[in-house]
Amino acid sequence: MPETDPNYRKVFTADDLVNALANRSTKVIEIMNDLNLGFNEVPVSARRGALRTNSAPLLHPVLLTSGVSLIDIQDKDGLTIFSANGATIRHATFNVKRARNVIIRNLKFDELWEWDESSKGKYDKQGWDFMTVDMTSDFIWIDHCTFTKAYDGVVDIKGGTRNVTISWSSFLGDDGGPNSFVRRQIDVLE
């Protein structure tokens, strides 16, 4: 589909993303740059429709400030969300429900983990998956994506969903470097 097609949307901000997902005719969403989508870091104008608050963080200093959002990609048939330059989505989960023929390509998902002493290792409390594909979604293709360490699952496929392909994607931990996301949490705990 050419960029000049009215169903092709270029997304630069959280507002752009919410508007693109709200438009029933949108077929292609190109993420143009990194997006920090935590509920506290998006403008109030973006806190509607497809973007809503997720479970409140407990301990991670970055997430306590940014908050966490849930991005609904629901009741879509024939939607591509991609980035030509490998943009990063931070502090948000994609919630794909009752969707068909959806492609999510060349995105990096990052900064969605925290230590949780209260759960004793049962990491379902927050329900933070980078992506949940649920409620009989069909023909979902996740391609050339990069996923870092997540609180719960990285990609959670459930609820009668069929025909999901995850190809050429990387599932990384945290490098543990001095300014890594996990290291910032450990430094606060120490």
Side-chain angles (χ1 to χ4, degrees), residues 111-173:
E111 297 189 6
L112 197 61
W113 176 86
E114 69 178 355
W115 179 260
D116 182 4
E117 189 67 35
S118 68
S119 72
K120 307 276 188 248
K122 296 178 185 173
Y123 279 89
D124 286 332
K125 181 177 182 178
Q126 299 292 47
W128 295 342
D129 306 308
F130 281 122
M131 194 177 309
T132 299
V133 184
D134 195 7
M135 294 191 168
T136 65
S137 293
D138 203 6
F139 298 107
I140 309 299
W141 185 23
I142 302 163
D143 180 57
H144 281 84
C145 288
T146 301
F147 301 94
T148 60
K149 187 172 183 60
Y151 178 93
D152 186 4
V154 176
V155 177
D156 198 354
I157 301 167
K158 58 187 184 179
T161 293
R162 305 174 318 163
N163 301 310
V164 175
T165 301
I166 301 173
S167 59
W168 296 97
S169 292
S170 297
F171 296 86
L172 310 174

Side-chain angles (χ1 to χ4, degrees), residues 54-134:
N54 207 325
S55 301
L58 304 170
L59 289 172
H60 199 292
V62 173
L63 295 176
L64 287 169
T65 300
S66 70
V68 176
S69 292
L70 189 139
I71 311 296
D72 286 316
I73 303 167
Q74 297 185 13
D75 303 308
K76 301 287 185 184
D77 189 352
L79 176 65
T80 298
I81 302 173
F82 83 104
S83 174
N85 60 6
T88 299
I89 304 293
R90 289 184 191 90
H91 316 141
T93 67
F94 277 15
N95 184 35
V96 181
K97 287 187 175 178
R98 297 176 306 276
R100 248 179 100 68
N101 303 311
V102 172
I103 299 168
I104 299 172
R105 188 166 200 275
N106 202 34
L107 290 168
K108 180 179 181 182
F109 294 86
D110 198 11
E111 297 189 6
L112 197 61
W113 176 86
E114 69 178 355
W115 179 260
D116 182 4
E117 189 67 35
S118 68
S119 72
K120 307 276 188 248
K122 296 178 185 173
Y123 279 89
D124 286 332
K125 181 177 182 178
Q126 299 292 47
W128 295 342
D129 306 308
F130 281 122
M131 194 177 309
T132 299
V133 184
D134 195 7

